[in-house]
Amino acid sequence: MPEADSITTLLAFDYGRRRTGVAIGQTITGSARGLLTLEALGEQPDWQQIAALIDQWQPDLLLVGLPRRADGSDSEQTLAARAFASELGQFDLPVQLIDEHLTSNDASRQLAEQRRSGRRSRRVRKQDIDALSAALIAEQWLHERLIR
């Protein structure tokens, strides 16, 4: 695993069987932003689009949120996220898992607040939640590794 100081760009994924949120994180700025949400092809991730994103952004690290139950135990979704992270290994980049407890709830709450305060005009869509969840995953990693 590369040291945090050798990483400048990371792609974060909030994996789901139907949709996967994707975000870009930068260690130089210590920030992240949601890029987009990829729709699954059947029950498979859209590997072609993932490859295109990796080519476009040239990340040093791929980060996958690991959902767990409130008590910290694994769920079926935890196992699916682990399998997704394992398949990301095909891109010959380091892949890291990070606990993402409640990021979707946080993302949903943030987007709803933006809409109520007038900073967001359209309704909150699941795709928006997934992309913001990926950004929150990236920000968590950045905070834990860079701000000590």
Side-chain angles (χ1 to χ4, degrees), residues 65-93:
L66 189 62
R68 295 183 188 255
R69 293 188 177 108
D71 67 3
S73 65
D74 287 355
S75 67
E76 186 177 316
Q77 187 60 22
T78 309
L79 301 176
R82 285 186 192 279
F84 173 74
S86 179
E87 289 187 60
L88 281 173
Q90 69 184 294
F91 296 106
D92 294 323
L93 289 167

Tab-separated table of all heavy atoms in Angstrom, residues 65-93:
chain	number	residue	atom	x	y	z
A	65	GLY	N	-15.816	2.129	-0.263
A	65	GLY	CA	-16.513	2.185	1.021
A	65	GLY	C	-17.002	0.807	1.410
A	65	GLY	O	-17.535	0.061	0.583
A	66	LEU	N	-16.783	0.465	2.653
A	66	LEU	CA	-17.176	-0.849	3.165
A	66	LEU	C	-18.347	-0.669	4.133
A	66	LEU	O	-18.163	-0.219	5.268
A	66	LEU	CB	-15.990	-1.502	3.875
A	66	LEU	CG	-16.155	-2.954	4.275
A	66	LEU	CD1	-16.358	-3.841	3.051
A	66	LEU	CD2	-14.930	-3.407	5.052
A	67	PRO	N	-19.558	-0.989	3.662
A	67	PRO	CA	-20.731	-0.817	4.530
A	67	PRO	C	-20.808	-1.939	5.560
A	67	PRO	O	-20.574	-3.104	5.243
A	67	PRO	CB	-21.897	-0.890	3.547
A	67	PRO	CG	-21.395	-1.774	2.448
A	67	PRO	CD	-19.918	-1.514	2.350
A	68	ARG	N	-21.095	-1.577	6.750
A	68	ARG	CA	-21.266	-2.564	7.824
A	68	ARG	C	-22.566	-2.264	8.561
A	68	ARG	O	-23.098	-1.174	8.480
A	68	ARG	CB	-20.102	-2.504	8.801
A	68	ARG	CG	-18.791	-2.896	8.168
A	68	ARG	CD	-17.711	-2.889	9.222
A	68	ARG	NE	-16.423	-3.087	8.617
A	68	ARG	CZ	-15.734	-4.214	8.673
A	68	ARG	NH1	-16.214	-5.248	9.300
A	68	ARG	NH2	-14.561	-4.313	8.106
A	69	ARG	N	-23.021	-3.252	9.282
A	69	ARG	CA	-24.202	-3.045	10.128
A	69	ARG	C	-23.847	-2.095	11.267
A	69	ARG	O	-22.672	-1.872	11.556
A	69	ARG	CB	-24.679	-4.379	10.687
A	69	ARG	CG	-25.232	-5.308	9.632
A	69	ARG	CD	-25.858	-6.534	10.288
A	69	ARG	NE	-26.441	-7.378	9.291
A	69	ARG	CZ	-25.943	-8.556	8.913
A	69	ARG	NH1	-24.834	-9.016	9.456
A	69	ARG	NH2	-26.549	-9.263	7.982
A	70	ALA	N	-24.858	-1.582	11.931
A	70	ALA	CA	-24.651	-0.646	13.038
A	70	ALA	C	-23.776	-1.246	14.137
A	70	ALA	O	-23.023	-0.537	14.800
A	70	ALA	CB	-25.993	-0.199	13.605
A	71	ASP	N	-23.843	-2.569	14.317
A	71	ASP	CA	-23.023	-3.213	15.348
A	71	ASP	C	-21.613	-3.537	14.863
A	71	ASP	O	-20.822	-4.140	15.578
A	71	ASP	CB	-23.715	-4.472	15.870
A	71	ASP	CG	-23.831	-5.586	14.831
A	71	ASP	OD1	-23.331	-5.431	13.690
A	71	ASP	OD2	-24.422	-6.635	15.158
A	72	GLY	N	-21.291	-3.149	13.609
A	72	GLY	CA	-19.953	-3.378	13.070
A	72	GLY	C	-19.771	-4.701	12.350
A	72	GLY	O	-18.711	-4.958	11.780
A	73	SER	N	-20.796	-5.528	12.345
A	73	SER	CA	-20.679	-6.823	11.678
A	73	SER	C	-20.905	-6.679	10.174
A	73	SER	O	-21.450	-5.687	9.698
A	73	SER	CB	-21.682	-7.817	12.273
A	73	SER	OG	-23.013	-7.397	12.018
A	74	ASP	N	-20.445	-7.687	9.448
A	74	ASP	CA	-20.607	-7.700	8.002
A	74	ASP	C	-22.032	-8.058	7.612
A	74	ASP	O	-22.722	-8.787	8.317
A	74	ASP	CB	-19.652	-8.720	7.366
A	74	ASP	CG	-18.211	-8.262	7.386
A	74	ASP	OD1	-17.946	-7.119	7.805
A	74	ASP	OD2	-17.342	-9.051	6.985
A	75	SER	N	-22.436	-7.530	6.456
A	75	SER	CA	-23.737	-7.847	5.873
A	75	SER	C	-23.494	-8.397	4.471
A	75	SER	O	-22.358	-8.476	4.008
A	75	SER	CB	-24.594	-6.579	5.790
A	75	SER	OG	-24.025	-5.676	4.854
A	76	GLU	N	-24.556	-8.725	3.788
A	76	GLU	CA	-24.444	-9.177	2.397
A	76	GLU	C	-23.818	-8.074	1.538
A	76	GLU	O	-22.998	-8.333	0.665
A	76	GLU	CB	-25.833	-9.556	1.868
A	76	GLU	CG	-25.798	-10.171	0.491
A	76	GLU	CD	-27.181	-10.610	0.035
A	76	GLU	OE1	-27.908	-11.211	0.832
A	76	GLU	OE2	-27.501	-10.348	-1.139
A	77	GLN	N	-24.181	-6.820	1.804
A	77	GLN	CA	-23.624	-5.686	1.055
A	77	GLN	C	-22.124	-5.525	1.341
A	77	GLN	O	-21.364	-5.123	0.466
A	77	GLN	CB	-24.393	-4.405	1.390
A	77	GLN	CG	-24.005	-3.216	0.555
A	77	GLN	CD	-24.233	-3.419	-0.951
A	77	GLN	OE1	-25.026	-4.246	-1.384
A	77	GLN	NE2	-23.519	-2.657	-1.749
A	78	THR	N	-21.693	-5.844	2.567
A	78	THR	CA	-20.270	-5.790	2.903
A	78	THR	C	-19.499	-6.764	2.024
A	78	THR	O	-18.454	-6.426	1.467
A	78	THR	CB	-20.043	-6.157	4.392
A	78	THR	OG1	-20.900	-5.384	5.210
A	78	THR	CG2	-18.592	-5.942	4.792
A	79	LEU	N	-20.027	-7.964	1.892
A	79	LEU	CA	-19.372	-8.987	1.068
A	79	LEU	C	-19.342	-8.568	-0.399
A	79	LEU	O	-18.337	-8.779	-1.092
A	79	LEU	CB	-20.079	-10.336	1.235
A	79	LEU	CG	-20.122	-10.886	2.665
A	79	LEU	CD1	-20.928	-12.169	2.721
A	79	LEU	CD2	-18.716	-11.085	3.213
A	80	ALA	N	-20.421	-7.954	-0.881
A	80	ALA	CA	-20.467	-7.493	-2.273
A	80	ALA	C	-19.444	-6.375	-2.502
A	80	ALA	O	-18.772	-6.338	-3.541
A	80	ALA	CB	-21.881	-7.009	-2.618
A	81	ALA	N	-19.296	-5.461	-1.543
A	81	ALA	CA	-18.307	-4.384	-1.673
A	81	ALA	C	-16.890	-4.952	-1.675
A	81	ALA	O	-16.024	-4.492	-2.428
A	81	ALA	CB	-18.479	-3.362	-0.546
A	82	ARG	N	-16.644	-5.966	-0.850
A	82	ARG	CA	-15.322	-6.627	-0.841
A	82	ARG	C	-15.035	-7.276	-2.201
A	82	ARG	O	-13.918	-7.196	-2.712
A	82	ARG	CB	-15.249	-7.679	0.256
A	82	ARG	CG	-15.108	-7.127	1.641
A	82	ARG	CD	-14.903	-8.284	2.651
A	82	ARG	NE	-15.039	-7.842	4.006
A	82	ARG	CZ	-14.097	-7.229	4.703
A	82	ARG	NH1	-12.946	-6.976	4.143
A	82	ARG	NH2	-14.313	-6.868	5.951
A	83	ALA	N	-16.037	-7.915	-2.773
A	83	ALA	CA	-15.863	-8.553	-4.084
A	83	ALA	C	-15.589	-7.495	-5.155
A	83	ALA	O	-14.723	-7.686	-6.026
A	83	ALA	CB	-17.100	-9.375	-4.436
A	84	PHE	N	-16.293	-6.375	-5.105
A	84	PHE	CA	-16.069	-5.280	-6.043
A	84	PHE	C	-14.637	-4.762	-5.906
A	84	PHE	O	-13.933	-4.568	-6.900
A	84	PHE	CB	-17.084	-4.156	-5.784
A	84	PHE	CG	-16.835	-2.908	-6.581
A	84	PHE	CD1	-17.122	-2.862	-7.937
A	84	PHE	CD2	-16.325	-1.775	-5.971
A	84	PHE	CE1	-16.892	-1.706	-8.683
A	84	PHE	CE2	-16.094	-0.610	-6.696
A	84	PHE	CZ	-16.375	-0.580	-8.057
A	85	ALA	N	-14.193	-4.550	-4.673
A	85	ALA	CA	-12.827	-4.074	-4.432
A	85	ALA	C	-11.807	-5.070	-4.987
A	85	ALA	O	-10.808	-4.669	-5.602
A	85	ALA	CB	-12.605	-3.861	-2.939
A	86	SER	N	-12.073	-6.337	-4.810
A	86	SER	CA	-11.168	-7.364	-5.334
A	86	SER	C	-11.091	-7.295	-6.858
A	86	SER	O	-10.006	-7.383	-7.446
A	86	SER	CB	-11.645	-8.747	-4.877
A	86	SER	OG	-10.815	-9.747	-5.392
A	87	GLU	N	-12.239	-7.096	-7.508
A	87	GLU	CA	-12.258	-6.998	-8.970
A	87	GLU	C	-11.575	-5.732	-9.479
A	87	GLU	O	-11.066	-5.713	-10.602
A	87	GLU	CB	-13.698	-7.075	-9.480
A	87	GLU	CG	-14.297	-8.472	-9.341
A	87	GLU	CD	-15.655	-8.577	-9.987
A	87	GLU	OE1	-15.746	-8.348	-11.217
A	87	GLU	OE2	-16.620	-8.877	-9.270
A	88	LEU	N	-11.549	-4.682	-8.659
A	88	LEU	CA	-10.828	-3.468	-9.060
A	88	LEU	C	-9.328	-3.739	-9.207
A	88	LEU	O	-8.626	-2.969	-9.860
A	88	LEU	CB	-11.047	-2.345	-8.037
A	88	LEU	CG	-12.360	-1.593	-8.104
A	88	LEU	CD1	-12.478	-0.633	-6.919
A	88	LEU	CD2	-12.517	-0.844	-9.425
A	89	GLY	N	-8.864	-4.821	-8.611
A	89	GLY	CA	-7.462	-5.201	-8.734
A	89	GLY	C	-7.011	-5.396	-10.172
A	89	GLY	O	-5.810	-5.323	-10.465
A	90	GLN	N	-7.939	-5.598	-11.088
A	90	GLN	CA	-7.597	-5.767	-12.501
A	90	GLN	C	-6.930	-4.528	-13.091
A	90	GLN	O	-6.290	-4.606	-14.140
A	90	GLN	CB	-8.840	-6.115	-13.310
A	90	GLN	CG	-9.851	-4.974	-13.429
A	90	GLN	CD	-11.114	-5.360	-14.140
A	90	GLN	OE1	-11.082	-5.648	-15.328
A	90	GLN	NE2	-12.230	-5.386	-13.412
A	91	PHE	N	-7.031	-3.384	-12.422
A	91	PHE	CA	-6.474	-2.143	-12.952
A	91	PHE	C	-5.051	-1.876	-12.470
A	91	PHE	O	-4.485	-0.826	-12.760
A	91	PHE	CB	-7.400	-0.967	-12.618
A	91	PHE	CG	-8.743	-1.099	-13.273
A	91	PHE	CD1	-9.856	-1.441	-12.536
A	91	PHE	CD2	-8.886	-0.916	-14.646
A	91	PHE	CE1	-11.100	-1.593	-13.141
A	91	PHE	CE2	-10.123	-1.061	-15.261
A	91	PHE	CZ	-11.228	-1.393	-14.513
A	92	ASP	N	-4.475	-2.821	-11.753
A	92	ASP	CA	-3.086	-2.713	-11.286
A	92	ASP	C	-2.818	-1.443	-10.502
A	92	ASP	O	-1.772	-0.799	-10.674
A	92	ASP	CB	-2.105	-2.844	-12.461
A	92	ASP	CG	-2.151	-4.229	-13.085
A	92	ASP	OD1	-2.310	-5.207	-12.321
A	92	ASP	OD2	-2.050	-4.326	-14.315
A	93	LEU	N	-3.769	-1.073	-9.675
A	93	LEU	CA	-3.628	0.056	-8.759
A	93	LEU	C	-3.917	-0.451	-7.359
A	93	LEU	O	-4.673	-1.411	-7.179
A	93	LEU	CB	-4.626	1.166	-9.109
A	93	LEU	CG	-4.362	1.949	-10.375
A	93	LEU	CD1	-5.582	2.776	-10.742
A	93	LEU	CD2	-3.141	2.840	-10.200
